[in-house]
């Protein structure tokens, strides 16, 4: 009978090939699984997150769970030990025992992502790892109009990456989609019940095209109706994308 | 007859041994001087800043000047070329011809520094390079009381590093000293007509002691009266310190 633990983790994705374990690559899941196995003397600890993040994507608050054969006598103490061994670009923020009914991915009912865009010619050096740069002026009102049309329940396949093996259900609901501007920083804040593979990067790529004046906000309607991904929707680079919150 | 140029630069100090050229170390001044010499075919270009910054200290806006034997036909074009060759942790924000009366250091009439403190046990990974961590709770009101006593004209030798060769005049004026709190971020904003070597780090180290309750705000008076640096005033680590603005 194993014991399940839930952790909230934050990471700077700059030096990782994303979340998911891959041979010969440094990944967040790989680092956590390696250290948990070392610290528990368990042969393998499988760490399941709410979903993978791409190379270079950051997480303010990712949620994950894993099972240990032996319960920990003091999870808080174990958490400190784990943080002491992790590089400072991954931090375990909370560490709790949880019912084995809980599943980081399947129990999630929604997520929030934030995309931080620097709308200017020269990104300040201390922000360079945490902003998507867009040098051409963005019209935030146009972006807001498009974001409003994206909110709601839609088949978002036209904004997601094409999969080799198509998935059946590509209908998702965007609960809210805000575009905020503060000086040269333009931030996209999107909450939904789930996101398809690379959908957030497709949404951001599209909104930037709208902001630059290359697409009309109303083109959302035709793109959604088309049902398929086209070159009209670019995939924004991952810099500046944060998994902000997972809802349960 | 040479031509003088003034540049505003921003840098992430993480990967540099501070501003000042040192043999076998990567420094901001060293990088700029090397590239300027390469790009102008001038044997040596001496870049003079408003003042050096320590290892790991960042600059939102440092000012520097240098002289070129041949005037540039297009400084803006040259600026883009320079930025293209610099690593992205140094950016030249502005690049202008200026009178040879101007001197980045001697013409400066004041400076602003900001110290970003993360007052919590776990620094978010994406902030780790830009915050000084303080895990013990800081009482911001006490820090504000001490900062108010530090404002004004004083002999700040007790807050600066001791020099092998003592400098004559250690009297400086702090025009304003704010302590701001936003969630776990505590920010010190200090403006003055000049700062002695490591004085900002001494002021921050002292204010943190006051915030932790180990020193009273009123101890400012005795420390200033003493005229000498003592172990009572620790030097805060450089992480989180930004040269924010130089006034002319």
């Amino acid at each position: 009978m194993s014991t399940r633990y839930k952790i909230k983790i934050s990471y700077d994705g700059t030096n990782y090939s994303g979340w998911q374990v891959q041979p010969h690559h440094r990944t967040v899941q790989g680092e956590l699984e390696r250290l948990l196995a070392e610290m528990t003397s368990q042969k393998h600890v499988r760490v399941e997150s709410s979903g993978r993040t791409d190379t270079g994507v950051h997480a303010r608050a990712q949620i994950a769970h894993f099972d240990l054969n032996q319960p920990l006598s003091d999870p808080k103490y174990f958490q400190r030990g784990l943080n002491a061994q992790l590089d400072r670009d991954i931090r375990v923020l909370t560490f709790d025992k949880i019912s084995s009914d809980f599943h980081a991915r399947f129990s999630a009912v929604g997520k929030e992502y934030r995309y931080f865009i620097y709308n200017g010619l020269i990104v300040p050096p201390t922000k360079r790892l945490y902003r998507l740069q867009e040098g051409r002026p963005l019209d935030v009102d146009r972006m807001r109009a498009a974001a409003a049309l994206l909110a709601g329940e839609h088949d978002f396949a036209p904004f997601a990456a094409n999969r080799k093996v198509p998935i059946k259900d590509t209908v998702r609901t965007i609960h809210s989609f805000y575009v905020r501007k503060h000086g040269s920083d333009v931030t996209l804040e999107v909450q939904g019940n789930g996101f398809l593979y690379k959908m957030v990067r497709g949404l951001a790529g599209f909104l930037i095209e709208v902001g630059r004046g290359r697409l009309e906000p109303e083109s959302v309607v035709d793109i959604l109706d088309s049902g398929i991904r086209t070159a009209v929707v670019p995939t924004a680079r991952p810099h500046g994308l944060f998994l902000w919150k997972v809802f349960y």
Side-chain angles (χ1 to χ4, degrees), chain A:
Chain A
M1 189 56 199
S2 61
T3 308
R4 182 157 290 188
Y5 292 93
K6 175 191 173 196
I7 54 175
K8 181 159 82 177
I9 49 187
S10 182
Y11 46 87
D12 180 327
T14 306
N15 298 321
Y16 295 91
S17 300
W19 166 265
Q20 190 168 260
V21 165
Q22 296 174 60
H24 314 303
H25 284 82
R26 193 160 175 260
T27 68
V28 179
Q29 185 186 23
E31 284 296 290
L32 287 167
E33 292 189 349
R34 182 177 63 76
L35 283 173
L36 286 169
E38 275 178 32
M39 290 175 68
T40 59
S41 307
Q42 193 168 315
K43 195 173 174 196
H44 181 61
V45 180
R46 164 85 183 167
V47 179
E48 192 89 47
S49 76
S50 72
R52 59 176 137 169
T53 49
D54 293 343
T55 301
V57 173
H58 311 296
R60 171 182 166 272
Q62 167 73 286
I63 302 291
H65 79 261
F66 54 88
D67 295 326
L68 296 183
N69 299 334
Q70 302 290 335
L72 299 168
S73 54
D74 186 344
K76 298 289 163 204
Y77 180 80
F78 190 88
Q79 176 189 355
R80 283 197 294 275
L82 189 54
N83 276 332
Q85 292 193 61
L86 284 163
D87 280 344
R88 288 212 310 143
D89 53 7
I90 304 179
R91 291 289 92 179
V92 180
L93 304 179
T94 65
F95 192 119
D96 296 288
K97 194 177 154 182
I98 198 158
S99 153
S100 49
D101 294 344
F102 175 83
H103 190 288
R105 184 161 154 224
F106 300 130
S107 305
V109 297
K111 278 185 187 172
E112 177 173 349
Y113 284 93
R114 295 195 183 179
Y115 233 118
F116 293 86
I117 301 163
Y118 187 83
N119 189 26
L121 290 174
I122 303 176
V123 182
T126 57
K127 293 183 175 180
R128 74 192 186 286
L129 304 173
Y130 314 107
R131 295 291 185 281
L132 177 71
Q133 193 213 349
E134 177 52 57
R136 291 155 294 207
L138 293 175
D139 182 329
V140 170
D141 287 331
R142 289 170 58 90
M143 295 168 76
R144 286 181 180 137
L149 291 168
L150 286 161
E153 186 183 76
H154 302 288
D155 178 349
F156 282 102
F159 290 94
N162 289 316
R163 307 302 296 265
K164 284 174 206 153
V165 181
I167 60 166
K168 276 184 210 155
D169 183 10
T170 49
V171 173
R172 297 289 184 276
T173 300
I174 290 181
H175 298 307
S176 64
F177 203 153
Y178 298 109
V179 182
R180 304 195 190 276
K181 186 171 164 60
H182 184 76
S184 296
D185 286 312
V186 173
T187 307
L188 314 181
E189 301 180 9
V190 60
Q191 274 188 22
N193 67 351
F195 293 88
L196 304 167
Y197 186 51
K198 295 197 178 175
M199 173 175 153
V200 180
R201 293 172 59 186
L203 293 171
F206 171 73
L207 285 192
I208 289 168
E209 292 291 281
V210 170
R212 288 174 55 192
R214 306 217 312 175
L215 290 174
E216 293 305 312
E218 298 72 27
S219 64
V220 167
V221 181
D222 284 345
I223 292 171
L224 285 172
D225 280 351
S226 76
I228 51 158
R229 177 72 179 258
T230 66
V232 169
V233 176
T235 300
R237 279 159 295 136
H239 311 83
L241 178 54
F242 283 69
L243 171 57
W244 201 255
K245 195 171 181 180
V246 188
F247 300 95
Y248 291 94

